[in-house]
Amino acid sequence: MPAPQGINGVFDFRKITPEDIEKQTDALIAKQRSAYNSVGSLPLTRVTYENVIKQLADLMTERSTQGSPLDFPQHAAVDKAVREASSKAEQKLEEFDVEMSMRKDIFDRVVGFKDSVGIDGLTTEQKRLVEKLILHGKRNGLHLSEEIQQEVKKIKKRMSELSIKFQRNLNEDNTKLFFTHEELAGMPEDFIDELTQGEEGKLEVTMKYPHLFPITKKCHVPNTRRLMVTASQSKCMEENTPILEELISLRQKQAELLGYKNHAHYVLEERMAKNPENVDHFLTNLSEKLQPLWEDEKVVMLKFKKEECEKYNYEFNGQLDFWDLRYYMNQVEEKMYAVDQNEVRQYFPLEKVTSGLFDIYQTLLGLQFTQVTDADTWHDDVKLYRVTDAQSGENLGYFFLDLYPRDGKFGHAAIFPLQPSCVGADGSRQVAVCAMMCNFTKPTKDKPALLDHSEVESYFHEFGHVMHHICSHATFAMFAGTHVERDFLEAPSQMLENWVWEKEPLTLMSGHYETSKTLPDEIVDKLAKSRKANAGGFNLRQIILGTFDQTIHTRGEADTKALFTQTYKDIMGIEPIPNTNMPANFGHLAGGYDAQYYGYLWSEVFSMDMYESCFKKQGILNPEIGAKYRQSILQPGGSKDAHDLLRDFLGRDPTPDAFLRSKGLQP
């Protein structure tokens, strides 16, 4: 079975050494620099589509295809030396990218092409490429003085170094706490059995999701939850707080040099929202609508807390503490909707969820997934699949699944593009390749890996990004896959989260690990009803993060600890734990979501409109609607504006009505 071009063909994941990474990084940079020099030295009278625009498009494809496998191992490799070499490779490659993006000679040739040859004879996507190249040049100050260009270049280089360091600190963090059996009261026995014995016979827990979330949801010992949440919220605080605060001021400085009021204005120019005022209106308006829901939710949670304190003889302080939130949200689900997440987990063995999820996506999008059994991967847990079009048999690409936590591995859930689906230099289409990284609980000798319902939802969401990457059919790497406006990026995946709340998909994805029985109808009904549980608190937390992100990037400087505390108190009425700083481990702020975290809620408006008006009405497993969705939303990638993609699919402009209904609010 052929290995993916540009992945296994570049190096053997098992045998890759730090020296290989360094050598291949330097070779790629040298090759690319030589090609950019050729473009930059062309006489302005000789510029053509072929020798400037196509050449730059081919260089972007080569950079993405050959560079991604060099900077990806920092998130996945078992060997720390390889991770460090990969992190250094990313830094070198990003510095090179900054250097090339700041070349006025290249910019002048693109502008020269547009001015002298013109874009009238080009395809729509070719015209878009030329316009974007010019816009990006201006956003780098290439139309401004040499002095400003040099300053911007220096800032970009420093920001790249800081962002990589911020993420590396998070990946390498291995904070552990130790508790007695009594301190973990309320935790299921199978959870306790899986823990490692540590110091003085105590049980070792980490800050990784398979420990953090269950303990903060289920352990009824308030002090244990307090210690867990405190450790989690102060992760990398000393190292990453100064990094984040320097990033904020550098972003502001760059924006001002380029003629923008602040970093948020600079970023939002290329987003659906267009400006910070629109984002502020969206977040403030939604926050006001959600406050009455949150007030009602707090009353219920406080009642539960009072009862709990009486039951276990804990002191009741009459307020919700920061470490209470996840616990009492879980209590609301269990007591008011009778959803026992521990019981629900028994029906979601990972293998069964995966096979059901595959069935759903294959049916809906007209695809076929085949495991590549002899694949070269970076760990025994990792699997590789080939994706083909079910009708034509065309090979569309490959995806890796890396689903369990381990030391040094990327700690959240994300998709890493390893190769774009686009037309290569020789005119043939190269296939898409990506890796999906998650951190689900590992199987034990007694039980398979069991997912709770929120993890099933996460799995479905992230796999939506995989499909967006693989199904894309843009001509150019710049528009391939998920290269859409950042505040639309989440919409296709968020839309597909709806499937995990519906009976038919849940039946396909569930099977009790002992009896193979599917999720009973009564639990399906309870889950569906529980969907709006905690809507106030959950969505206000998203608004806090979006508001914090917008505030730091409109002010241009911040004491992040004080500002986060104040923002949380203002919106939720609860004080974060003293001497913690959640933004120091808020990876989005250094990972490409700066001034755009609001996009999760913003894009949900479109996801709910697409779901309710098309799939919900015409069948959630209807292949005809799935085909239209694949063709209108996934295939174009970023080759069209997101508003146009939505109009193509919906047949009209989107509205927020379905989104508001999904939150339990009246439009």
Side-chain angles (χ1 to χ4, degrees), residues 180-444:
T180 62
H181 275 76
E182 293 72 29
E183 288 168 329
L184 291 170
M187 298 309 296
E189 276 310 308
D190 62 340
F191 178 88
I192 300 287
D193 292 344
E194 288 166 22
L195 297 178
T196 308
Q197 286 272 343
E199 299 169 359
E200 300 164 7
K202 289 186 176 183
L203 299 165
E204 176 186 297
V205 300
T206 69
M207 293 304 108
K208 305 280 186 198
Y209 289 172
H211 287 172
L212 177 67
F213 288 169
I215 290 174
T216 52
K217 279 180 179 179
K218 299 288 285 183
C219 179
H220 66 62
V221 183
N223 194 50
T224 300
R225 297 197 308 272
R226 182 183 67 80
L227 291 169
M228 285 295 288
V229 176
T230 302
S232 167
Q233 295 278 306
S234 48
K235 197 165 71 171
C236 297
M237 183 169 71
E238 301 305 320
E239 312 94 291
N240 279 355
T241 299
I243 291 176
L244 177 58
E245 291 176 2
E246 187 180 347
L247 273 171
I248 293 163
S249 62
L250 287 170
R251 288 166 180 162
Q252 177 66 20
K253 193 173 177 189
Q254 176 184 255
E256 288 172 0
L257 284 168
L258 294 171
Y260 295 85
K261 187 177 175 185
N262 52 50
H263 183 64
H265 271 99
Y266 171 74
V267 166
L268 295 171
E269 178 184 37
E270 284 203 286
R271 302 293 174 258
M272 291 182 81
K274 299 304 179 196
N275 59 58
E277 292 75 25
N278 288 339
V279 175
D280 180 61
H281 175 74
F282 171 71
L283 292 173
T284 305
N285 191 35
L286 185 56
S287 179
E288 286 168 1
K289 284 188 165 85
L290 289 165
Q291 286 297 343
L293 288 184
W294 173 231
E295 288 305 316
D296 291 346
E297 288 165 12
K298 275 197 290 193
V299 170
V300 174
M301 288 188 207
L302 270 172
K303 176 175 164 283
F304 288 161
K305 181 172 179 177
K306 189 167 189 288
E307 289 168 0
E308 184 110 349
C309 289
E310 286 166 3
K311 180 179 176 182
Y312 296 112
N313 204 22
Y314 299 134
E315 185 186 342
F316 177 60
N317 61 4
Q319 65 182 36
L320 284 175
D321 293 305
F322 194 81
W323 54 89
D324 287 332
L325 291 178
R326 201 174 273 133
Y327 182 76
Y328 288 107
M329 282 182 172
N330 187 60
Q331 292 267 306
V332 166
E333 287 184 15
E334 291 189 356
K335 290 181 177 176
M336 294 184 68
Y337 297 91
V339 176
D340 180 347
Q341 290 293 352
N342 200 41
E343 181 189 1
V344 171
R345 280 178 76 233
Q346 318 299 314
Y347 289 92
F348 289 127
L350 181 62
E351 294 292 331
K352 178 63 183 172
V353 174
T354 302
S355 71
L357 177 146
F358 280 10
D359 285 347
I360 291 163
Y361 274 99
Q362 288 173 115
T363 302
L364 204 57
L365 300 176
L367 303 172
Q368 186 174 353
F369 306 153
T370 312
Q371 188 176 348
V372 182
T373 48
D374 57 349
D376 156 40
T377 64
W378 50 90
H379 191 276
D380 290 340
D381 289 342
V382 181
K383 292 176 181 173
L384 175 67
Y385 295 86
R386 188 173 76 247
V387 182
T388 51
D389 182 277
Q391 208 167 8
S392 68
E394 179 193 358
N395 182 11
L396 299 176
Y398 297 82
F399 62 86
F400 292 93
L401 290 185
D402 185 351
L403 302 179
Y404 302 120
R406 58 181 179 271
D407 283 348
K409 180 188 159 183
F410 180 77
H412 301 277
I415 303 307
F416 290 85
L418 298 174
Q419 179 168 293
S421 167
C422 60
V423 176
D426 63 357
S428 66
R429 175 167 289 280
Q430 68 176 28
V431 300
V433 185
C434 64
M436 175 171 161
M437 311 287 277
C438 289
N439 286 276
F440 299 134
T441 306
K442 289 193 80 159
T444 65

Side-chain angles (χ1 to χ4, degrees), residues 538-610:
F538 177 81
N539 289 290
L540 283 173
R541 184 176 181 277
Q542 289 295 89
I543 287 170
I544 287 166
L545 298 177
T547 302
F548 173 83
D549 174 37
Q550 284 296 301
T551 306
I552 60 177
H553 291 119
T554 48
R555 288 184 185 172
E557 59 176 9
D559 172 345
T560 52
K561 194 190 291 189
L563 180 64
F564 182 74
T565 298
Q566 192 58 51
T567 307
Y568 210 100
K569 276 167 66 178
D570 289 348
I571 293 173
M572 293 281 273
I574 290 175
E575 185 144 0
I577 300 165
N579 302 316
T580 64
N581 190 24
M582 179 271 175
N585 61 77
F586 187 11
H588 292 76
L589 295 180
Y593 274 80
D594 40 296
Q596 43 205 322
Y597 191 82
Y598 74 91
Y600 279 98
L601 279 169
W602 179 278
S603 58
E604 209 181 322
V605 171
F606 312 120
S607 77
M608 292 312 298
D609 196 2
M610 288 190 286

